[in-house]
Amino acid sequence: VITSEYAHTTGIVPGAAGANIIWDYSNLADSATTGTIDFVSAASTPYASDFPGAEVAADLGDTLYSYYKTVAGTPAILGLESSFEKFVYAHPVSTIIYPFTYPDSFQDSVTLFIEKPFTGTSKLFDTTVVTGYGTLKLPGSTYSNVLQTREISASAGSITVPGVGVIPVPPTLDTTYAYYVNGQPGPILFYNIKNGVINLADYLKNSTVMPLRIISFTAAPNHGDVQLDWQTGDESNTDIFNIQRSTDGLYFSNIGEVAASGSG
């Protein structure tokens, strides 16, 4: 779970690029609007069958999910779908490639297929450059060894509206700066720039990440019972595993527990 806070952008200026920079955004003023992203198993979502190979889905709210798989150790997005809209990339797209460091850069281009509510395509071009590193100050927190990235995204395409025909979509050009620190699942600060002015700023308020890695998990019938076997890694700050049972796949109750080994 990642909870972020949208901030007022008045008076905020883009951070400088370069080495050993101190970016001071400790005076960001909250806009009283927060965003929450829940990461869940892709198989538990209603549109998993439309994105074969997806491992994880991000619940973005309003029935909208984005779907990811791991490509060369890096999370790559396959597309997004809700009850109202559906977008599918021609191939998995990564906006970050791990490991990366200053002054690395990478780029990608892909066709985005729009399948609902209208049909259409959009050609996307994306270039990301690690533009600096240093210390980032946010309200209530200071982070060291932070990387600053600049992502430039360009797109152009068209949609087909029944009864109307093909409508060109005006080209767009977006510039987004994002700040990353090791151990956090996403940017701890990002802002979007249009015409040299920051028009959107969002920073990390809280994140909850499981303190272990799931290496494998299997379940198999065993003389009227179910045999559960799993292997984990890096069980830091992990005490026990709760064993749960459900009769409907929605509501679960604890039926036992297994102590964590502490190291895998």
Side-chain angles (χ1 to χ4, degrees):
V1 180
I2 299 178
T3 301
S4 59
E5 184 75 37
Y6 291 99
H8 292 291
T9 58
T10 303
I12 301 177
V13 297
N20 296 312
I21 304 295
I22 297 178
W23 300 288
D24 191 350
Y25 290 96
S26 57
N27 292 324
L28 285 176
D30 293 350
S31 66
T33 301
T34 60
T36 299
I37 301 177
D38 294 320
F39 290 90
V40 298
S41 166
S44 69
T45 66
Y47 314 109
S49 61
D50 291 339
F51 299 93
E55 302 158 339
V56 174
D59 184 350
L60 305 176
D62 294 328
T63 75
L64 178 63
Y65 295 86
S66 57
Y67 290 85
Y68 299 84
K69 68 178 298 184
T70 302
V71 178
T74 298
I77 186 170
L78 304 178
L80 303 91
E81 187 170 1
S82 74
S83 56
F84 309 102
E85 55 198 340
K86 181 180 179 182
F87 307 94
V88 179
Y89 291 100
H91 63 78
V93 177
S94 295
T95 57
I96 289 293
I97 296 178
Y98 297 109
F100 66 109
T101 188
Y102 178 76
D104 286 353
S105 64
F106 45 89
Q107 58 186 3
D108 198 0
S109 62
V110 66
T111 299
L112 175 68
F113 295 96
I114 306 166
E115 298 188 6
K116 64 179 182 182
F118 309 115
T119 59
T121 60
S122 180
K123 190 68 174 181
L124 307 178
F125 301 89
D126 191 273
T127 301
T128 299
V129 180
V130 183
T131 46
Y133 68 88
T135 299
L136 175 64
K137 297 181 179 181
L138 293 176
S141 301
T142 297
Y143 299 90
S144 58
N145 298 320
V146 174
L147 291 183
Q148 177 199 64
T149 67
R150 182 189 66 220
E151 179 186 355
I152 299 177
S153 299
S155 66
S158 63
I159 60 173
T160 302
V161 180
V164 177
V166 177
I167 301 176
V169 176
T172 63
L173 183 65
D174 284 317
T175 300
T176 301
Y177 282 83
Y179 296 77
Y180 294 88
V181 66
N182 193 33
Q184 293 294 346
I188 54 178
L189 169 69
F190 75 84
Y191 45 80
N192 183 263
I193 299 178
K194 287 187 180 297
N195 300 319
V197 177
I198 294 178
N199 63 352
L200 171 68
D202 182 284
Y203 70 94
L204 180 72
K205 197 75 170 182
N206 182 49
S207 68
T208 303
V209 182
M210 290 184 67
L212 53 78
R213 292 183 297 111
I214 299 295
I215 298 174
S216 64
F217 183 92
T218 60
N222 185 8
H223 303 291
D225 293 323
V226 177
Q227 177 71 38
L228 305 179
D229 293 290
W230 66 89
Q231 183 181 4
T232 65
D234 304 327
E235 290 183 2
S236 59
N237 301 316
T238 304
D239 184 23
I240 62 171
F241 295 95
N242 287 320
I243 310 301
Q244 299 186 328
R245 178 175 59 191
S246 173
T247 58
D248 57 10
L250 297 175
Y251 300 97
F252 292 80
S253 58
N254 289 339
I255 59 173
E257 62 182 44
V258 175
S261 65
S263 60

